[in-house]
Amino acid sequence: MIRIAIFVSGSGTNCENIIRYFQGSKEVEIALVLSNKADAYALVRAEKFGIPTLVMPKSEFVQEEKLMTTLKAHDIHFIVLAGFLLMIPPFLVEGYHRRMINLHPALLPKFGGKGMYGHHVHEAVKAAGETETGMTVHWVSNICDGGEIIAQFRTPLLPEDTPDDIAHKEHLLEQEHFPKVVEDVLKSIEWGELTSDKSC
């Protein structure tokens, strides 16, 4: 059984979508939903499905022993960042090399990097006069939004589309594609003995 942790900071629509997608799976279990914010609604969504939740503020998240011990205690094999707004510390990037992915609400490498999250992304897309937008799933690296791209999905934009319209169109892509991309990535990994013992 592959045990996944989902890291979240906000509402958690993608988090819930992933939980629903893997309900009843014999190969994949959502084992933990972790947030840096105690008021993240994603935690409420997870609890409705009986998923263990944890709040870990930035001051604790950046402590290697604290975070890695927590992930090992929950026997986490893979991490999905779904609207998680903290930078990932290098020790976690190394510890979960090619076992941690992020969803970005634009077509990277455009509109990525520091400050490019949430509505800021869609406002930037609008300001640039883009004729399309989309979502990108990529491996997490030490460069913000700079990891190798795994998958991208696109949707056309109209000149009259507002940032809210752009956000809505992009979010529809997330809801349609993100869980399947997670599944495909998990199937592509050579797990070996990792998921049959208690090592992290």
Side-chain angles (χ1 to χ4, degrees):
M1 181 73 77
I2 301 169
R3 292 172 59 84
I4 294 178
I6 304 176
F7 289 6
V8 295
S9 295
S11 172
T13 53
N14 279 307
C15 176
E16 180 172 340
N17 198 26
I18 292 169
I19 291 170
R20 288 182 181 277
Y21 187 85
F22 287 109
Q23 266 191 315
S25 171
K26 292 182 171 62
E27 291 83 34
V28 178
E29 178 182 1
I30 308 303
L32 177 67
V33 171
L34 181 150
S35 180
N36 61 308
K37 295 185 176 182
D39 61 350
Y41 192 68
L43 298 172
V44 177
R45 295 179 189 271
E47 288 165 0
K48 287 179 180 178
F49 289 89
I51 308 297
T53 62
L54 180 67
V55 176
M56 185 175 286
K58 183 179 180 180
S59 59
E60 296 179 8
F61 187 77
V62 297
Q63 297 178 31
E64 181 171 1
E65 184 175 356
K66 174 76 173 178
L67 180 55
M68 299 306 282
T69 299
T70 297
L71 295 175
K72 188 169 186 177
H74 287 271
D75 195 21
I76 300 301
H77 306 123
F78 191 85
I79 298 171
V80 175
L81 308 184
F84 188 65
L85 300 183
L86 294 184
M87 279 293 294
I88 302 303
F91 67 80
L92 186 59
V93 174
E94 180 180 351
Y96 280 82
H97 176 66
R98 294 187 84 82
R99 288 192 288 132
M100 178 165 45
I101 63 174
N102 181 51
L103 168 66
H104 186 75
L107 295 170
L108 293 175
K110 290 184 176 182
F111 311 109
K114 187 175 181 180
M116 283 290 104
Y117 63 90
H119 216 62
H120 300 291
V121 175
H122 308 304
E123 290 170 348
V125 169
K126 174 63 177 179
E130 295 289 308
T131 58
E132 65 176 1
T133 192
M135 58 170 278
T136 301
V137 181
H138 64 92
W139 295 110
V140 176
S141 73
N142 287 318
I143 300 171
C144 182
D145 297 325
E148 179 186 345
I149 292 173
I150 297 168
Q152 290 185 313
F153 301 91
R154 302 167 184 267
T155 186
L157 298 177
L158 300 172
E160 61 268 26
D161 281 342
T162 66
D164 284 342
D165 295 328
I166 294 170
H168 177 68
K169 288 183 175 183
E170 188 276 329
H171 188 65
L172 290 177
L173 291 179
E174 295 178 357
Q175 294 291 290
E176 180 179 357
H177 297 291
F178 194 26
K180 183 64 165 62
V181 173
V182 173
E183 181 179 47
D184 289 344
V185 170
L186 294 176
K187 288 179 178 178
S188 74
I189 294 174
E190 293 291 337
W191 289 103
E193 297 299 313
L194 183 63
T195 58
S196 61
D197 61 28
K198 290 296 179 183
S199 63
C200 189

